[in-house]
Amino acid sequence: MNRKPLLAGALSCLMLLVAGCASAGPRTVTAPDAPRALTGDSPVQVSWTDPAQFTEIRTNSNRFEAQSGNWVYQLADSLRKSAVKRLSPGQTLEVQITDIKRAGDFEPQHGPRTNDIRIMRDLYPPRMTLNFTLRDAHGGVVQQGTDVKLIDMNYLHNGGLRSDSDPLRYEKRMLDNWLRNLLPTTRR
């Protein structure tokens, strides 16, 4: 049996796999090449500081799970989409997220099989700190906030979730509530 074609085929597959992984983007929110802002032309600009400094990652007993995925980008994107719907024509909103602590936490003290299970308790509400500037159609500042702290202490008891399967549902609802207060009526 000639093994050269088999070896060449396996090597080709491995090279494709490595190339695919390299182009797939960041695997963690703390990766050096992970984005730190949403791109694109929009009246809502969202950026964030280094996620490695976020409470979610610094204080978590399971840092691997806490930094896995692209959840910071997903929260920023959800914030942008919700805000765009609420802005008056010509208004712009700039938001910089400076800290995030997601709802729930890991409790490894319950044994090795619970290391990667996020436990939801009243004790672990979602929290976020941000800076923002809301401008009118002429560029004038309508409202501004620095180190604005968002928290949803009743996150387990509030209704109106978008989806029970969205792992960021509590954080997204907290952002939606903040936007409802900042931009009280839908103007579009």
Side-chain angles (χ1 to χ4, degrees):
M1 179 171 151
N2 188 355
R3 293 187 181 177
K4 286 183 181 179
L6 181 61
L7 183 59
L11 186 57
S12 294
C13 288
L14 182 61
M15 289 174 65
L16 286 173
L17 181 63
V18 169
C21 289
S23 65
R27 293 176 180 259
T28 67
V29 296
T30 57
D33 60 339
R36 297 288 186 258
L38 297 179
T39 59
D41 188 31
S42 174
V44 179
Q45 295 300 314
V46 184
S47 63
W48 51 95
T49 58
D50 182 8
Q53 302 307 311
F54 288 173
T55 303
E56 176 64 24
I57 295 171
R58 282 186 306 103
T59 65
N60 208 306
S61 60
N62 189 342
R63 284 194 187 157
F64 176 77
E65 283 295 324
Q67 65 187 6
S68 293
N70 206 12
W71 54 269
V72 177
Y73 185 91
Q74 292 168 357
L75 286 173
D77 188 51
S78 177
L79 171 63
R80 174 187 269 177
K81 287 176 182 172
S82 293
V84 163
K85 294 175 188 174
R86 302 186 73 79
L87 288 175
S88 293
Q91 279 187 323
T92 61
L93 177 64
E94 298 167 17
V95 179
Q96 180 190 42
I97 301 169
T98 59
D99 192 26
I100 299 173
K101 175 63 180 106
R102 290 177 56 192
D105 211 343
F106 300 97
E107 297 181 345
Q109 67 270 22
H110 295 296
R113 293 180 186 224
T114 62
N115 281 348
D116 59 350
I117 299 172
R118 186 175 288 272
I119 306 295
M120 299 299 175
R121 298 182 194 268
D122 289 332
L123 181 64
Y124 309 128
R127 301 170 189 260
M128 193 175 293
T129 306
L130 49 84
N131 304 320
F132 75 93
T133 303
L134 175 64
R135 298 182 188 277
D136 62 21
H138 304 292
V141 175
V142 174
Q143 195 171 352
Q144 197 167 24
T146 303
D147 288 330
V148 176
K149 299 197 183 311
L150 309 180
I151 185 169
D152 185 357
M153 293 299 292
N154 291 321
Y155 79 104
L156 290 174
H157 308 289
N158 291 336
L161 289 175
R162 298 178 192 193
S163 165
D164 286 343
S165 64
D166 183 351
L168 300 171
R169 61 190 172 272
Y170 300 114
E171 295 81 2
K172 289 177 181 177
R173 182 178 59 199
M174 180 177 65
L175 287 169
D176 286 347
N177 289 339
W178 174 70
L179 286 170
R180 252 191 302 287
N181 289 329
L182 180 66
L183 307 164
T185 57
T186 302
R187 298 177 179 109
R188 283 193 173 180

